[in-house]
Amino acid sequence: MPLTFLNPALLFGAAAAAVPLLLHLLQRRRVREIAFSDLRFLEEVKARRSRALGVRRWLLLLLRMLAILLVVAAAARPQLGGRDAAAAAPEALLVVLDASASMRSERDRGTRFDAALAVAADAVNALPTGGVVQVVLAGPRPRAVFNGWTGAGAGAASALRALAPTDGAVDPADALAEAAAWVAAAPQRPVTVLLISDLQAAAWDDAALAAAARALAGAGGARLALLPVGEAQVAGGVTRVRTPLRALRAGEPVQVEADVRVGHVGQVWRLELDGRPVAEAASEAAPGETDRLTFAFAAPAAGTHRGLVVTAADRLPVDDARPFLLEVRDRLEVLIVHGPDAGTAGRGGWRYWANALAPGGAATGADELYGVRARGVADVADGDLAAADVLLLVDPGPLGRRLQAAVVERLEGDGGVALFAGDPADAGELGRTLLPALGLAGPTSYRVHGSAGAQEVVVVAPSHPVFAGLPAEALSTFARATWRRYHALPDSGSDVLLATRGGDPLLVQARRARGRLLVAPFHTLPDATDLAHNPMFPPFARRLAAYLAGGGRGAQDEVGAAPAVALAGAADGGDALAGPALLYRARPGALPEVLPARLDWRGGRAYVAGEPATRQGFYTFVAGADTLGEAVLAMPAAEGDAALLTADEAVARLATAGLPGAEVLAAAPDGGIAAGADGRDLAPWFLGFAALALLAETRLSRRA
Amino acid sequence: MITAPVSPAEIAALGRLDLIARLVVEGFLVGLHRSPYHGFSSEFAEYRACFPGEPVTHVDWRVYAKSDRLYRKVFSEETNLRATLLVDCSASMGYGSDAARPTKLAYARLLAASLARLLLRQNDAVGLELFDSRRLGSVPARAVRRQLFEILKHLDELPAGRETALGPVLHEVAERLPRRGLVVLISDLMDAPVDVTAGLRHFRHRGHEVIVFQVLDPRELDLDFKGEARFRDLERPDRTLRLEPAHARAAYRERFEAWRGEVRQACRRERIDLVETTTDTPFDRALLAYLSKRRRLS
C-alpha cells in the first residue's frame, strides 16, 4: 500500500530538519578557543572516548533530525493506502461549496459552513505553484465566486473567508452543472472538482444528478472529490406555516397551523405578530418527529402583519423562527361578469351572488368587507379587472378573446376566478372553449333531474378554506340544498369540493398556475337549484370570495424565489410605476439592505419583484416614500431535515448518476483535510515515533 | 582585631610586589592568635605591645612594673638556614582560567615574594632560582637586607616561559646549590611524576629539605567549562584539542586525580612536604605550611 500525504505542501517543512545540522555545523565553526595549561590529560581522555563521543554526537544529530522529519510528516497527514495526496493539490481546483441553510448547523466549533471554508482554504493553499482555482458557491442559485479561474494563493484563500451561507436549499445537480461550465473553461488540466457539503439527503435528486454528470463529462472530464462536513444531529424547527387561504377580516377567529420538527419533548412554540406574542403551543411528538400545531387567535386590525413562529434556538437557528405574513383585508373588490340579463335560462342569477356578498348593494358602507361591481361581459373595462380582487364569471356566455386572455393571465398570476356556468345554451361554449382555456378538459353533458330526483349536495372537502372552520350544523344545513339542472363536468383530475350524492361534481377547484380557479356547473336561479334560498348561501358566497381573494400566500414562498408583491390598482400597460422601484430587505437586528427591483406584469396585474433571494426574512418594496407591499421568504423546509447521506452513499448516488470514481476526503477536526475515507491515518504513529526519538535523544545526551 | 583572609586576587590587584609581600607577611603574622613561631631564638630583638588574647609567657613583667604597660619581648631567631625558592616559569604556569584570579605564575610570584620576606624577616638566607625547561635566572642565597630587593627585582622581571622539563632543570639546580638547606619549589608540576620525583630526589640526596607548593588553577581540577571548545596547549601552542568538556569532565577528573595521587605518593616516599594550593586559596595556608616545616627544622 502506498504512503501518501493529504497536505503534501507541508512536507516543505522537512527543511526544518536541516536546522540541527546547521546548528551542528555552526557550532563546529564557531567553537571558541580556550588556552589550557596542559593538554596531556585531555588528550588521554579524548583518545579513550573520542570514538564513542563522535558516534554519539552524530547519533544525537540524527535523532534530532529524525524527530523533526517525523513531526513534519505527521503534519502533512500521512495515510497508508489512502488516495493520492494530489487530490488536495490538483493543478486546477474547482471548489463547489455547499451554501445551503443546513450548512448553518452548528458543530462543536463553528458551523458546517465554517468547516467547509476551512477545508476549502486548505485545499486552495495546497495547490502547487501555478495552480488555478475557482469556487462555486452552491446556494439556491449557484454562482462563481471569482470572475474567472484565478491563481491560487493567499488572495484566493482570503476571498473564501468573506463567503457566507444562504438560507436556501442547494441543488447538487445545479451546482455540478455550474461546475461543468467552469471545468470546460479551465485553463489547465487536470481539473479536480471538490464538492464540500453536508450531503443532506433531501437535496440529492438522481435525475438531475444524471444530467449534471453528463454536463460534467461533456466538459472535458474532471476528477470529482467529495468532502463531507456534516454530522447527524436532531434539531427542532418550523418547517411550514399555514395561514388561512382566504382573506381575513379584523376580529374574526383565525387559526394558523405550523408544521414543526420536534427537537425535544414538550417543546414550546410561540406565534408572534408584529413582535408581540399572541399564541403559544407545545408539541407532543417525540424528538425528530414532525408535529402540526394550531395557533388560534383573533385577526388583528386590517393591514399586513409580520408573523413569526418561534421556538428556542438550537444548533440550526435559522429554522427556529419561521416568518410569515398575515394579511387582514378591510375590503375586497368583487367583479361579477355576467351575460345578458334576459333571453336564456339562468340569466340574472348573478344578482343572488351580488346580494349574498353585499346585501346593501354595491354602494355599501365602509365597514362592509365586500364591494361588488357587476359588469356585462361586453362592458368590462381594463380598470374593472385591475381593481378587482375577485373575479366571478356568472353565466358569462362567450368571454371574448380579450376577457379570456385576462382571465388566463389572472390565473397565471395569483388571482382568483370563479366560473358559474349553468345555462344549457352555453354547454357547447363551455366544453369547447371556456373550460379548455382554463385548463379543464371538455366536453360536458347537461344533466336535468325532475323534482323528485333533485340531487342533494355533499361537502366533499370540508377542510377546504371555503368550508374550513364551519360548525357541523352549518355544513348539514348547507347540505340540504338541492340541484336539478347542471352540467356534468369531465373528470379532469381537479379537486372536487362539492358534489351531488350521485357523484356529479358541483364545485371543483382546478389547478392552474399560482391562481385559484373554482368552477361550478350550475346557475343559481330556482329552476336549477335552491342554493340561493339556503341559509348558508350568503356565508358560502363570502367564504368563496374570500378564498378567491387569497391570503397567507407569502408563507408559501421559500428562499431562492424572487420576492414579489402585487400592486393594487395598476392596470395592464399602465405606467403609474414608471421609474425605478427599490427593494429593501429588513431583517431584525440587521441594517436594511437595498436591492434593485423590477416592475412586472402578470395576469393583467402589476407586480414588483426582486432578484431571487438568498436570505430568509421580510422584504419590503418601496418606491420613493411609498411602501408598495411586503413579501416574505422562509427557509426551505427540507433544509432542516437531519438525514444526511454518508460519503459512501453519496459516492454511490454519483456513480449511479454517471459520475463513477468520486473520491472521498475527510475534514479533520481542526479544519484541515484529513485522511481519505479508506486510508489509514498514520499521523499518530509518526508523532509517537517522534516522541520516541526525542526520548532517546534526551537519554543519549545525558549519557554523553 | 579579626581580619578576614584577603583573597589572592585582591592582593594581586595591589600591584607592587614589595608592598604585597609585606602586606601578606605582616597580615599573616598579626592574624596568628597564637604564634608558636616566635620566641624560639635566644637573641632579643625588640619589645612589642601585647595584644589582647596573646599568651603572657613572654610578657616582660619588669617593664610592666615600671611603666604599668604590657610589653612582650620578641626574640630574633638565630639560624643558619639557607632557603632557595625555585619558581617554575614555564608556559603552563601562565594559565589563568578567570580574569578575576591570578595566573598560576602570578600566584607563584606573590607566594615566592611573601616567603622571601618571611624568611629574611627571620634572618634566613634566601636565594631564588627561576626556570622553565632550563634555568632562567638566579639569586644566590644571602641573609642581607638587600636580598629581598634582589629577589623581588627578579620576580618582577619574570621571563616568558616555555615548555616544562622539570626533571633536568631540577637536577641542574640541585648540582649548583652549594650547601644543604631548604628548597622551596613553587610549580604546577606539570611534568611526568617520574621526572619530577627524580629531580626532587636529587635535592634530598644532597641533604636538602624540600617543600613543594603545587599551584593549580581551580578549572584544572574540575574542567568546569561550558560548551564545546578548542583547547590550545599553552606550552605547545600548535597543539589543539577539540572537545565537549561536559562529555570529558568525569574522565578528566579521574585521570587528573590519579596524577595528583602519583605526585603525592612520590613526595611522601621522598619525605617531601607537598602543599597543594589553587590560585583562589589565600596565601596564609602556604605560609603556614612553610612555618610548620621551618619549626620542624629548627
Side-chain angles (χ1 to χ4, degrees):
Chain A
M1 284 187 289
L3 177 67
T4 56
F5 295 90
L6 286 179
N7 292 333
L10 292 182
L11 290 176
F12 286 112
V19 172
L21 184 63
L22 288 175
L23 288 176
H24 182 81
L25 295 176
L26 283 175
Q27 263 187 335
R28 288 179 71 86
R29 182 173 293 180
R30 292 182 181 176
V31 67
R32 63 201 171 112
E33 187 171 281
I34 297 176
F36 202 61
S37 54
D38 196 330
L39 295 186
R40 187 186 337 158
F41 305 114
L42 288 175
E43 283 170 344
E44 287 180 24
V45 168
K46 183 166 184 183
R48 206 168 54 191
R49 296 173 55 86
S50 61
R51 190 179 182 85
L53 279 174
V55 171
R56 275 186 190 160
R57 186 179 295 119
W58 284 105
L59 194 57
L60 281 172
L61 178 64
L62 285 176
L63 284 172
R64 288 165 187 159
M65 293 174 69
L66 180 65
I68 290 176
L69 287 174
L70 286 169
V71 169
V72 168
R77 316 300 297 179
Q79 59 171 342
L80 190 63
R83 295 181 175 93
D84 190 356
E91 292 192 0
L93 175 69
L94 178 63
V95 179
V96 180
L97 201 56
D98 184 350
S100 63
S102 63
M103 292 291 283
R104 292 180 176 271
S105 292
E106 292 171 357
R107 294 150 48 107
D108 292 338
R109 282 187 298 176
T111 64
R112 291 175 182 171
F113 193 76
D114 294 336
L117 284 184
V119 292
D122 286 346
V124 170
N125 288 332
L127 278 173
T129 306
V132 290
V133 65
Q134 176 60 287
V135 178
V136 171
L137 192 66
R141 288 196 172 184
R143 68 174 178 87
V145 173
F146 304 119
N147 290 331
W149 285 93
T150 186
S158 64
L160 286 175
R161 286 194 286 274
L163 300 180
T166 68
D167 292 338
V170 62
D171 185 344
D174 277 354
L176 290 177
E178 176 74 12
W182 284 104
V183 168
Q188 57 198 49
R189 307 277 168 177
V191 181
T192 292
V193 178
L194 177 61
L195 175 58
I196 308 175
S197 169
D198 58 2
L199 303 180
Q200 200 177 33
W204 288 65
D205 176 68
D206 287 342
L209 278 175
R214 285 192 296 276
L216 205 54
R223 185 169 54 177
L224 183 61
L226 202 61
L227 205 155
V229 291
E231 49 194 29
Q233 58 189 18
V234 175
V238 190
T239 58
R240 186 181 175 91
V241 176
R242 289 185 173 86
T243 54
L245 292 174
R246 55 187 168 84
L248 297 175
R249 193 173 186 187
E252 75 167 295
V254 180
Q255 288 186 337
V256 171
E257 292 178 337
D259 293 342
V260 298
R261 183 181 297 106
V262 179
H264 57 84
V265 177
Q267 189 167 4
V268 176
W269 312 78
R270 189 174 67 251
L271 186 142
E272 296 178 355
L273 277 182
D274 300 323
R276 292 195 304 273
V278 295
E280 199 170 70
S283 53
E284 296 175 352
E289 294 183 352
T290 56
D291 197 5
R292 178 164 293 179
L293 307 174
T294 301
F295 299 92
F297 55 94
T304 301
H305 301 273
R306 292 181 172 187
L308 283 175
V309 175
V310 188
T311 188
D314 54 21
R315 304 197 82 169
L316 181 59
V318 68
D319 69 345
D320 294 327
R322 190 174 182 88
F324 65 95
L325 288 174
L326 189 71
E327 196 173 2
V328 179
R329 306 292 294 265
D330 57 349
R331 193 167 176 88
L332 286 178
E333 297 297 337
V334 180
L335 175 63
I336 298 177
V337 176
H338 55 84
D341 262 358
T344 54
R347 301 300 181 189
W350 61 270
R351 289 190 176 82
Y352 288 107
W353 291 99
N355 196 48
L357 293 170
T364 53
D367 58 335
E368 285 294 331
L369 177 63
Y370 298 95
V372 178
R373 185 177 300 178
R375 292 284 186 272
V377 70
D379 302 327
V380 177
D382 289 340
D384 294 328
L385 288 168
D389 297 306
V390 179
L391 178 59
L392 297 184
L393 304 172
V394 184
D395 289 310
L399 290 180
R401 187 172 297 169
R402 185 178 64 87
L403 188 55
Q404 188 171 310
V407 169
V408 171
E409 282 184 0
R410 174 174 287 256
L411 290 174
E412 287 177 348
D414 60 354
V417 176
L419 171 64
F420 296 90
D423 187 344
D426 290 341
E429 178 69 19
L430 186 67
R432 190 174 57 252
T433 61
L434 200 54
L435 290 182
L438 299 177
L440 300 172
T444 61
S445 60
Y446 200 67
R447 300 276 174 91
V448 178
H449 299 276
S451 298
Q455 298 289 304
E456 288 187 342
V457 71
V458 175
V459 178
V460 179
S463 60
H464 191 273
V466 174
F467 303 106
L470 287 176
E473 295 80 9
L475 289 176
S476 62
T477 301
F478 183 75
R480 285 200 287 272
T482 58
W483 271 261
R484 288 191 295 276
R485 296 167 183 269
Y486 53 87
H487 291 284
L489 292 177
D491 183 6
S492 56
S494 302
D495 296 332
V496 177
L497 308 184
L498 284 177
T500 63
R501 290 199 180 277
D504 293 326
L506 292 176
L507 182 64
V508 298
Q509 176 175 316
R511 296 193 185 93
R512 182 62 193 260
R514 290 162 57 94
R516 294 165 299 285
L517 171 63
L518 295 177
V519 176
F522 59 87
H523 63 74
T524 45
L525 291 181
D527 63 314
T529 175
D530 58 0
L531 175 64
H533 302 289
N534 189 291
M536 285 302 296
F537 178 60
F540 168 68
R542 293 181 182 192
R543 279 176 162 263
L544 186 142
Y547 166 70
L548 292 176
R553 55 186 179 278
Q556 308 299 319
D557 291 332
E558 294 184 333
V559 175
V565 294
L567 299 178
D572 193 356
D575 57 358
L577 290 171
L582 291 181
L583 161 71
Y584 87 83
R585 186 184 73 199
R587 296 176 60 235
L591 289 175
E593 183 181 358
V594 179
L595 300 167
R598 57 189 164 77
L599 188 61
D600 194 14
W601 296 92
R602 299 179 206 160
R605 303 187 70 180
Y607 288 83
V608 280
E611 292 298 316
T614 59
R615 301 304 301 272
Q616 172 177 273
F618 299 101
Y619 291 78
T620 304
F621 291 83
V622 296
D626 298 326
T627 299
L628 304 177
E630 196 157 34
V632 65
L633 295 178
M635 187 193 85
E639 284 299 304
D641 194 351
L644 305 179
L645 292 181
T646 64
D648 291 338
E649 287 171 341
V651 168
R653 298 281 287 272
L654 289 168
T656 305
L659 288 172
E663 299 175 359
V664 177
L665 303 178
D670 57 0
I673 297 176
D678 58 352
R680 183 173 181 185
D681 188 6
L682 295 182
W685 287 92
F686 277 51
L687 288 175
F689 286 129
L692 284 176
L694 286 176
L695 188 65
E697 191 271 346
T698 307
R699 289 275 178 92
L700 198 60
S701 62
R702 278 183 187 166
R703 285 184 61 191
Chain B
M1 182 177 69
I2 298 174
T3 56
V6 183
S7 72
E10 292 169 316
I11 288 174
L14 292 176
R16 277 182 58 181
L17 196 56
D18 56 339
L19 287 178
I20 291 172
R22 183 175 179 181
L23 179 70
V24 170
V25 172
E26 298 303 327
F28 166 70
L29 293 178
V30 171
L32 292 175
H33 293 295
R34 185 174 183 276
S35 180
Y37 309 106
H38 287 263
F40 43 76
S41 173
S42 57
E43 186 179 348
F44 172 75
E46 60 179 343
Y47 283 109
R48 185 167 67 79
C50 271
F51 294 102
E54 285 187 339
V56 296
T57 312
H58 302 295
V59 170
D60 190 332
W61 298 109
R62 290 182 183 175
V63 175
Y64 177 72
K66 289 177 184 173
S67 64
D68 202 22
R69 291 178 181 171
L70 283 173
Y71 285 96
R72 56 176 294 195
K73 286 193 283 187
V74 180
F75 296 90
S76 296
E77 183 189 18
E78 287 185 353
T79 180
N80 56 355
L81 180 65
R82 291 175 62 87
T84 304
L85 304 175
L86 275 58
V87 179
D88 182 357
C89 299
S90 64
S92 67
M93 289 292 285
Y95 177 65
S97 61
D98 193 336
R101 276 197 293 262
T103 63
K104 291 191 287 184
L105 185 59
Y107 189 92
R109 182 168 152 258
L110 292 174
L111 183 59
S114 302
L115 285 170
R117 182 177 181 84
L118 188 60
L119 285 160
L120 288 170
R121 184 187 168 91
Q122 302 197 125
N123 295 329
D124 290 333
V126 182
L128 177 68
E129 286 285 345
L130 302 175
F131 64 90
D132 48 15
S133 57
R134 55 190 170 81
R135 292 176 63 241
L136 299 174
S138 67
V139 178
R142 291 195 191 110
V144 296
R145 198 174 190 84
R146 179 182 165 73
Q147 183 70 356
L148 179 62
F149 299 104
E150 285 294 323
I151 290 173
L152 293 183
K153 182 183 170 190
H154 275 74
L155 289 174
D156 265 336
E157 297 169 353
L158 280 182
R162 296 179 302 181
E163 196 171 349
T164 307
L166 272 177
V169 78
L170 287 181
H171 285 298
E172 185 182 350
V173 173
E175 287 296 329
R176 294 175 65 89
L177 291 182
R179 290 170 53 188
R180 289 193 309 165
L182 176 65
V183 173
V184 179
L185 173 62
I186 305 174
S187 169
D188 55 7
L189 304 181
M190 289 287 186
D191 201 351
V194 177
D195 296 340
V196 176
T197 309
L200 294 176
R201 190 183 299 128
H202 196 163
F203 285 109
R204 294 292 294 151
H205 179 72
R206 292 178 65 91
H208 296 289
E209 290 297 325
V210 180
I211 302 178
V212 175
F213 289 94
Q214 186 184 26
V215 181
L216 295 172
D217 189 277
R219 287 279 173 85
E220 289 177 318
L221 301 179
D222 55 20
L223 199 70
D224 187 16
F225 296 102
K226 299 282 188 298
E228 191 171 16
R230 181 182 291 111
F231 290 88
R232 180 168 50 80
D233 196 320
L234 281 174
E235 296 197 350
R236 291 161 291 177
D238 55 319
R239 284 177 59 185
T240 58
L241 184 66
R242 185 189 179 83
L243 197 68
E244 171 59 71
H247 295 167
R249 187 171 297 136
Y252 171 84
R253 285 177 181 171
E254 186 183 333
R255 177 68 187 89
F256 196 76
E257 281 305 313
W259 170 75
R260 293 181 77 190
E262 289 178 42
V263 172
R264 280 187 210 114
Q265 200 170 3
C267 291
R268 199 177 304 123
R269 196 164 51 238
E270 301 298 331
R271 296 194 301 280
I272 294 170
D273 288 354
L274 174 67
V275 181
E276 295 172 322
T277 185
T278 55
T279 54
D280 57 352
T281 306
F283 295 102
D284 299 27
R285 189 176 163 212
L287 297 181
L288 200 59
Y290 157 72
L291 288 179
S292 298
K293 180 77 174 177
R294 177 70 182 81
R295 191 182 182 197
R296 284 202 301 275
L297 292 177
S298 60

